């Protein structure tokens, strides 16, 4: 449910949750206070009554809170000073040992350059289990790297695709993709279940899907979501890479306005990142049996459909896989995830990657929304990387293991 707005610089910014957005929408329409409509433009057409998370400068926050009180709308201040939370993640880099020649730290967030170097190192040190390749270039010309993991036993093994970092500000995503690779490689010798998966499946891991946006979130705007493509005649940049797929493109839950966070782009697959991944998956669709996209935040495991309220043909098998995955995740630390079709569990959105994957013949298509449920939101502390990735690893392994059995439901 969690969506966030970004207005201006982050000094003295707060982060608040509005609990009854439908009531606020009615209040705005009755009072015609256009300033609120402008501030909350991304949400104004929403018919969902899910909580909405907003961050903005201190003056605007105080003004909005006053109106929320007048309208008797419940809200909660989640973070009173966003800058402090950001500095906990990246403000003290010089005083911390992020990586050494021999030891890569998987419990901190890494900028794009470090992740790229790490990928080359994994490829160099595990030649029998890892293959690094590029599937194309981003809008700004960066390579789109993918790691293939798996024992080279036979040429046409079933495969699992996992991408992270579709939305730039969701840093826990790339952290998980790196964690998955580390765990798969380090446990191959002593963990029989992991060895079986690596022997019988190939895993295609894309640690950073939206490389330009991720780089920008480190250098300029911590809350950047979209790609970084230029839009003719608009000063706003970027497209939502999870609204740009060629499936019910730019319908409900996507925006036609280039300045909105859910902008669907000028046409399907307009973004080179989306086009490259779609091309790769189309080429390998006969072997790829599961598509997994890692997002944050909400603690949910979602599957198709996103764009409509309808039941997928293999609902029983997918629902069972989701239930087993969420149970496995819960077994680690007792963290509860909701699961179900994206349209009813989260919200309706068109042009999403899981709907595209499913429509293109991949029978198991999932989107994880990792920790938390909004207290830290996109600023999940590094101290929570270990437990978040540990529990998610259990869920992903459970989904992958299910591919080795025939579903008879």
């Amino acid at each position: 449910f969690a969506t966030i707005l970004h207005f201006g610089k982050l000094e003295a910014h707060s982060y608040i949750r509005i609990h009854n957005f439908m009531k606020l929408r009615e209040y705005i329409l009755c009072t015609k206070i256009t300033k609120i409509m402008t501030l909350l433009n991304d949400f104004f057409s929403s018919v969902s009554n899910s909580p909405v998370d907003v961050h903005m400068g201190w003056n605007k926050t105080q003004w909005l809170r006053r109106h929320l009180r007048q309208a008797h709308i419940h809200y909660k201040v989640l973070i009173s000073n966003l800058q402090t939370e950001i500095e906990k993640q990246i403000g003290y880099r010089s005083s911390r040992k992020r990586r050494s020649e021999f030891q890569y730290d998987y419990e901190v967030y890494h900028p794009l350059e470090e992740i790229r170097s790490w990928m080359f190192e994994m490829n160099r040190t595990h030649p029998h289990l890892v293959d690094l390749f590029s599937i194309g270039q981003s809008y700004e010309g960066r390579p789109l790297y993918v790691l293939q993991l798996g024992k080279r036993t036979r040429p046409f093994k079933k495969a699992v695709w996992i991408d992270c970092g579709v939305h730039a500000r969701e840093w826990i995503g790339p952290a998980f993709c790196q964690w998955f690779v580390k765990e798969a490689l380090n446990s191959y010798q002593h963990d029989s279940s992991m060895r079986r998966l690596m022997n019988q499946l190939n895993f295609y891991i894309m640690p950073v899907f939206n490389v330009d946006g991720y780089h920008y979130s480190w250098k300029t705007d911590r809350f950047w979501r979209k790609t970084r493509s230029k839009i003719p005649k608009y000063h706003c940049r970027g497209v939502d890479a999870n609204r740009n797929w060629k499936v019910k493109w730019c319908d409900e839950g996507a925006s036609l306005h280039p300045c909105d966070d859910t902008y669907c782009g000028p046409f399907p697959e307009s973004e080179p990142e989306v086009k490259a991944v779609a091309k790769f998956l189309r080429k390998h669709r006969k072997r790829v049996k599961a598509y997994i996209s890692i997002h944050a935040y909400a603690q949910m495991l979602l599957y198709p459909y996103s764009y409509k309220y309808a039941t997928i043909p293999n609902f029983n098998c997918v629902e069972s896989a989701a239930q087993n995955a969420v149970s496995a995740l819960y077994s680690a630390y007792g963290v509860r995830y909701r699961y179900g079709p994206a349209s009813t569990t989260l919200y309706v959105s068109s042009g999403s990657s899981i709907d595209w994957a499913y429509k293109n013949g991949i029978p198991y298509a999932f989107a994880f929304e990792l920790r938390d449920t909004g207290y830290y939101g996109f600023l999940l502390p590094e101290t929570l990387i270990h437990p978040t990735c540990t529990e998610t690893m259990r869920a992903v392994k459970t989904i992958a293991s299910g591919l080795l059995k025939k579903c008879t439901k």
Side-chain angles (χ1 to χ4, degrees):
F1 55 82
T3 316
I4 198 160
L5 294 175
H6 182 199
F7 299 106
K9 295 182 180 179
L10 292 174
E11 289 85 354
H13 272 226
S14 296
Y15 185 20
I16 68 173
R17 170 166 292 170
I18 302 170
H19 280 275
N20 192 332
F21 188 71
M22 289 292 284
K23 189 174 179 181
L24 175 60
R25 190 169 178 269
E26 291 167 9
Y27 173 77
I28 294 168
L29 291 170
C30 289
T31 59
K32 294 185 168 55
I33 301 176
T34 56
K35 188 175 179 182
I36 302 180
M37 292 171 64
T38 303
L39 285 177
L40 304 179
N41 179 60
D42 275 3
F43 309 117
F44 194 68
S45 62
S46 173
V47 295
S48 169
N49 204 27
S50 299
V52 168
D53 296 348
V54 182
H55 79 76
M56 56 181 69
W58 185 83
N59 288 338
K60 290 190 176 81
T61 300
Q62 296 301 103
W63 182 86
L64 179 61
R65 286 170 69 180
R66 188 169 70 250
H67 280 286
L68 292 173
R69 286 193 294 269
Q70 286 176 6
H72 304 290
I73 294 168
H74 180 55
Y75 69 90
K76 181 179 181 181
V77 178
L78 298 176
I79 300 175
S80 58
N81 191 328
L82 278 172
Q83 194 64 36
T84 302
E85 293 302 323
I86 291 173
E87 286 172 0
K88 286 179 184 177
Q89 294 187 329
I90 63 174
Y92 309 106
R93 288 177 58 77
S94 59
S95 63
R96 288 162 43 190
K97 189 177 181 183
R98 314 275 314 180
R99 67 173 295 194
S100 67
E101 187 178 350
F102 304 105
Q103 188 67 43
Y104 191 82
D105 193 344
Y106 291 90
E107 296 185 32
V108 298
Y109 296 115
H110 291 276
L112 185 64
E113 297 78 13
E114 290 180 10
I115 296 174
R116 193 158 48 192
S117 298
W118 165 82
M119 293 177 80
F120 278 97
E121 186 68 7
M122 291 299 99
N123 188 53
R124 186 185 69 81
T125 54
H126 299 84
H128 301 299
L129 291 173
V130 177
D131 184 27
L132 173 68
F133 57 92
S134 170
I135 59 170
Q137 282 192 332
S138 70
Y139 178 83
E140 294 180 341
R142 294 181 175 90
L144 302 173
Y145 286 122
V146 173
L147 287 168
Q148 178 181 323
L149 271 59
K151 186 77 172 174
R152 297 184 180 91
T153 50
R154 56 183 184 272
F156 296 106
K157 293 198 293 180
K158 291 179 181 179
V160 177
W161 170 277
I162 306 174
D163 60 48
C164 299
V166 169
H167 293 140
R169 61 197 178 193
E170 299 167 8
W171 286 8
I172 188 61
F176 171 73
C177 266
Q178 293 169 84
W179 189 277
F180 180 90
V181 172
K182 178 258 295 186
E183 285 294 303
L185 297 177
N186 290 353
S187 65
Y188 180 78
Q189 295 298 337
H190 61 82
D191 182 344
S192 59
S193 65
M194 193 73 242
R195 185 163 59 251
R196 182 166 175 256
L197 290 176
M198 294 277 277
N199 286 347
Q200 297 192 36
L201 298 170
N202 281 329
F203 292 89
Y204 296 113
I205 314 294
M206 191 176 193
V208 188
F209 184 112
N210 178 9
V211 287
D212 296 346
Y214 185 73
H215 178 76
Y216 189 76
S217 75
W218 275 83
K219 298 296 184 183
T220 306
D221 181 353
R222 175 62 184 85
F223 289 95
W224 188 256
R225 169 184 168 96
K226 300 188 287 183
T227 63
R228 292 293 299 158
S229 55
K230 290 181 180 177
I231 315 299
K233 299 179 182 177
Y234 285 89
H235 69 280
C236 304
R237 293 184 66 160
V239 167
D240 184 342
N242 202 31
R243 301 291 188 279
N244 192 233
W245 296 76
K246 198 172 184 178
V247 55
K248 210 70 176 176
W249 175 78
C250 219
D251 208 309
E252 187 176 350
S255 172
L256 279 165
H257 197 288
C259 295
D260 288 346
D261 263 355
T262 55
Y263 175 48
C264 58
F267 52 88
E269 295 182 22
S270 62
E271 304 312 281
E273 300 87 353
V274 173
K275 188 171 185 177
V277 174
K279 181 180 178 182
F280 180 85
L281 291 174
R282 272 193 291 262
K283 182 180 178 182
H284 298 279
R285 76 172 89 192
K286 289 184 179 178
R287 288 192 287 128
V288 177
K289 301 301 178 183
Y291 170 90
I292 299 171
S293 193
I294 306 294
H295 293 261
Y297 56 93
Q299 292 176 196
M300 294 178 181
L301 178 53
L302 310 170
Y303 51 82
Y305 295 109
S306 291
Y307 73 86
K308 64 179 177 179
Y309 302 111
T311 302
I312 54 177
N314 64 336
F315 170 81
N316 289 340
C317 291
V318 173
E319 171 85 353
S320 176
Q323 184 178 25
N324 292 338
V326 166
S327 296
L329 187 148
Y330 177 82
S331 71
Y333 302 101
V335 173
R336 296 186 184 278
Y337 269 51
R338 292 171 59 198
Y339 63 94
S343 56
T344 54
T345 311
L346 186 58
Y347 46 61
V348 173
S349 63
S350 55
S352 72
S353 63
I354 58 170
D355 282 350
W356 182 92
Y358 188 77
K359 287 282 191 177
N360 278 267
I362 299 175
Y364 293 88
F366 293 106
F368 279 85
E369 295 283 351
L370 302 188
R371 294 197 197 185
D372 55 6
T373 56
Y375 183 81
Y376 291 109
F378 302 117
L379 300 179
L380 195 72
E382 290 178 327
T383 53
L384 294 179
I385 291 176
H386 185 286
T388 302
C389 291
T390 298
E391 65 195 11
T392 309
M393 187 76 192
R394 293 193 184 188
V396 171
K397 282 181 68 177
T398 298
I399 292 170
S401 297
L403 300 177
L404 302 181
K405 309 165 193 169
K406 188 173 181 64
C407 178
T408 56
K409 294 186 179 184

